[in-house]
């Protein structure tokens, strides 16, 4: 079950980048995000009400969903999309992939979970591998004040994503399932971002063509309803640090899609980076060896 959810998340979120690219045009970025998560919330509420699986939450649960909506479905997307205007998308991907390490650290700080050495080593290998994958893009980018601002926003977006993971884990420990918390979180996130658009005077336009509507529907159903539910379910089942290694594998899928549709060509450093990412994945999911109890060993010697 965990493997199926993991692969599903990687494949979906590794292909949403091209849908996000097709969203650029007439509709402002914040408005597209409002459309995406507003519609996703409606779909989730509809499914939960029809199946009678919408859980009742108390005030604490709603407050956590409000914070989760702000972190996962509002601020982090604004940070990443704004950062992409000033720094290469590859650098954004590298910064975002540090979520594995941030999740491990935050799980230790907030939940007292021990940070497994293999998770840290695997995350480090994944970061190094992504650096090699995107090296031509990174090496060709000149430093500037905008670069520092873009890096800061990408890091802030990653921290918000990690905080959203912790909040989801907290909700699941309280018995609330990701379907219910995602529905409320997406509704809250879309509402807050819609209020921001109103205050800033950003018009709520719509681009009525197949490209925009098709990409929007892909982001709503697979990208949000299925993707976020699968990923946050993994957070509850596997722990935030292991689930977050998905963020290292997304760019690998995205590059393969780019090779198929946009003519991306694999290079020797990129292939070496891919190998490191895969090795990191093996390390992250390797179960630590459990030492045999001392008394058992003594009994074995006596026999």
């Amino acid at each position: 079950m965990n493997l199926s959810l993991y692969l599903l998340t990687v494949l979906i979120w590794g292909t949403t980048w091209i849908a996000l690219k097709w969203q650029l045009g007439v509709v402002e970025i914040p408005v597209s995000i409002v459309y995406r998560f507003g519609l996703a919330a409606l779909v989730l509420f509809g499914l939960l009400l029809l199946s009678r699986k919408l859980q009742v939450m108390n005030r604490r649960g709603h407050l956590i969903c409000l914070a989760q909506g702000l972190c996962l479905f509002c601020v982090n997307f604004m940070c990443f999309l704004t950062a992409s205007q000033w720094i290469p998308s590859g650098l954004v991907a590298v910064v975002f992939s540090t979520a594995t390490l941030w999740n491990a650290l935050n799980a230790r700080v907030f939940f007292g979970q021990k940070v497994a050495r293999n998770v840290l080593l695997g995350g480090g290998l994944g970061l190094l591998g992504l650096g090699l994958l995107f090296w031509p893009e990174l090496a060709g980018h000149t430093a500037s004040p905008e670069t520092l601002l873009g890096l800061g926003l990408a890091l802030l977006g990653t921290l918000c994503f990690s905080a959203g993971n912790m909040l989801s884990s907290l909700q699941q420990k309280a018995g609330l399932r990701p379907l219910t918390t995602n529905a409320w979180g997406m509704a809250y996130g879309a509402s807050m971002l819609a209020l921001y658009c109103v205050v800033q005077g950003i018009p709520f336009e719509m681009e009525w063509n197949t490209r925009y509507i098709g990409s929007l529907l892909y982001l709503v159903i697979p990208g949000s309803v299925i993707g976020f539910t699968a990923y946050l379910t993994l957070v509850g089942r596997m722990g935030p640090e292991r689930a977050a290694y998905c963020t290292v594998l997304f760019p690998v899928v995205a590059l393969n899609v780019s090779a198929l549709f946009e003519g991306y060509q694999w290079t020797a450093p990129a292939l070496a980076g891919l190998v490191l990412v895969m090795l990191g994945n093996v390390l992250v999911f390797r179960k630590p060896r459990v030492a045999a109890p001392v008394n058992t060993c003594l009994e074995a010697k006596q026999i």
Side-chain angles (χ1 to χ4, degrees), residues 171-295:
Q171 294 280 61
Q172 292 183 64
K173 290 178 187 294
L176 293 170
R177 293 185 291 271
L179 281 171
T180 294
T181 57
N182 280 355
W184 284 108
M186 288 177 184
Y188 285 137
S191 298
M192 286 184 281
L193 195 52
L195 180 60
Y196 166 82
C197 292
V198 171
V199 172
Q200 293 295 317
I202 302 174
F204 286 85
E205 297 179 315
M206 176 58 75
E207 192 171 353
W208 298 103
N209 57 49
T210 304
R211 183 186 180 108
Y212 184 85
I213 300 298
S215 59
L216 178 61
L217 291 176
Y218 185 80
L219 291 171
V220 169
I221 305 299
S224 301
V225 173
I226 299 175
F228 272 101
T229 300
Y231 173 75
L232 293 177
T233 300
L234 280 175
V235 169
R237 294 169 64 98
M238 299 170 54
E241 67 283 1
R242 283 182 168 83
Y245 199 82
C246 291
T247 62
V248 178
L249 294 180
F250 300 155
V252 176
V253 176
L255 287 177
N256 279 286
V257 174
S258 181
L260 183 63
F261 291 103
E262 298 182 324
Y264 173 80
Q265 295 183 348
W266 286 91
T267 62
L271 289 172
L274 178 61
V275 171
L276 288 178
V277 169
M278 293 300 105
L279 286 175
N281 189 69
V282 172
L283 276 176
V284 165
F285 289 98
R286 188 182 66 180
K287 293 183 179 180
R289 294 180 180 177
V290 180
V294 176
N295 57 349

Side-chain angles (χ1 to χ4, degrees), residues 57-79:
M57 291 193 301
N58 57 21
R59 182 180 179 183
R60 176 179 179 272
H62 277 285
L63 287 175
I64 295 177
C65 276
L66 181 66
Q68 186 179 337
L70 184 66
C71 292
L72 274 183
F73 310 118
C74 182
V75 175
N76 70 321
F77 275 91
M78 287 299 297
C79 286

Side-chain angles (χ1 to χ4, degrees):
M1 181 64 175
N2 286 350
L3 180 60
S4 298
L5 290 172
Y6 187 77
L7 292 176
L8 183 65
T9 306
V10 170
L11 289 174
I12 288 176
W13 280 357
T15 53
T16 53
W17 71 272
I18 196 166
L20 286 169
K21 185 176 181 180
W22 290 343
Q23 291 273 286
L24 300 177
V26 175
V27 183
E28 295 285 344
I29 289 174
V31 176
S32 288
I33 299 173
V34 171
Y35 292 159
R36 173 182 178 177
F37 290 117
L39 289 172
L42 289 175
V43 171
L44 279 173
F45 276 123
L47 292 173
L48 289 168
L49 289 172
L50 287 172
S51 61
R52 297 182 179 180
K53 291 184 179 180
L54 181 64
Q55 293 177 283
V56 177
M57 291 193 301
N58 57 21
R59 182 180 179 183
R60 176 179 179 272
H62 277 285
L63 287 175
I64 295 177
C65 276
L66 181 66
Q68 186 179 337
L70 184 66
C71 292
L72 274 183
F73 310 118
C74 182
V75 175
N76 70 321
F77 275 91
M78 287 299 297
C79 286
F80 289 129
L81 292 173
T82 305
S84 297
Q85 298 177 359
W86 296 313
I87 60 177
S89 58
L91 187 52
V92 175
V94 172
V95 176
F96 184 43
S97 68
T98 62
T100 303
L101 306 179
W102 286 114
N103 274 8
L105 177 62
N106 286 332
R108 174 65 177 173
V109 171
F110 294 105
F111 302 129
Q113 296 179 9
K114 185 178 179 181
V115 181
R117 183 181 300 177
N118 60 302
V119 173
L120 293 178
L121 289 174
L125 276 179
L127 279 172
L128 180 59
L130 282 185
L132 288 173
L133 280 168
F134 291 104
W135 178 249
E137 187 178 8
L138 303 181
H141 184 72
T142 57
S144 66
E146 288 78 13
T147 300
L148 294 178
L149 180 59
L151 283 172
L153 285 172
L155 180 58
L156 177 60
T158 305
L159 293 176
C160 285
F161 177 81
S162 180
N165 286 202
M166 299 303 114
L167 292 168
S168 177
S169 181
L170 191 64
Q171 294 280 61
Q172 292 183 64
K173 290 178 187 294
L176 293 170
R177 293 185 291 271
L179 281 171
T180 294
T181 57
N182 280 355
W184 284 108
M186 288 177 184
Y188 285 137
S191 298
M192 286 184 281
L193 195 52
L195 180 60
Y196 166 82
C197 292
V198 171
V199 172
Q200 293 295 317
I202 302 174
F204 286 85
E205 297 179 315
M206 176 58 75
E207 192 171 353
W208 298 103
N209 57 49
T210 304
R211 183 186 180 108
Y212 184 85
I213 300 298
S215 59
L216 178 61
L217 291 176
Y218 185 80
L219 291 171
V220 169
I221 305 299
S224 301
V225 173
I226 299 175
F228 272 101
T229 300
Y231 173 75
L232 293 177
T233 300
L234 280 175
V235 169
R237 294 169 64 98
M238 299 170 54
E241 67 283 1
R242 283 182 168 83
Y245 199 82
C246 291
T247 62
V248 178
L249 294 180
F250 300 155
V252 176
V253 176
L255 287 177
N256 279 286
V257 174
S258 181
L260 183 63
F261 291 103
E262 298 182 324
Y264 173 80
Q265 295 183 348
W266 286 91
T267 62
L271 289 172
L274 178 61
V275 171
L276 288 178
V277 169
M278 293 300 105
L279 286 175
N281 189 69
V282 172
L283 276 176
V284 165
F285 289 98
R286 188 182 66 180
K287 293 183 179 180
R289 294 180 180 177
V290 180
V294 176
N295 57 349
T296 303
C297 295
L298 289 176
E299 290 174 2
K301 288 181 179 180
Q302 292 174 356
I303 293 173

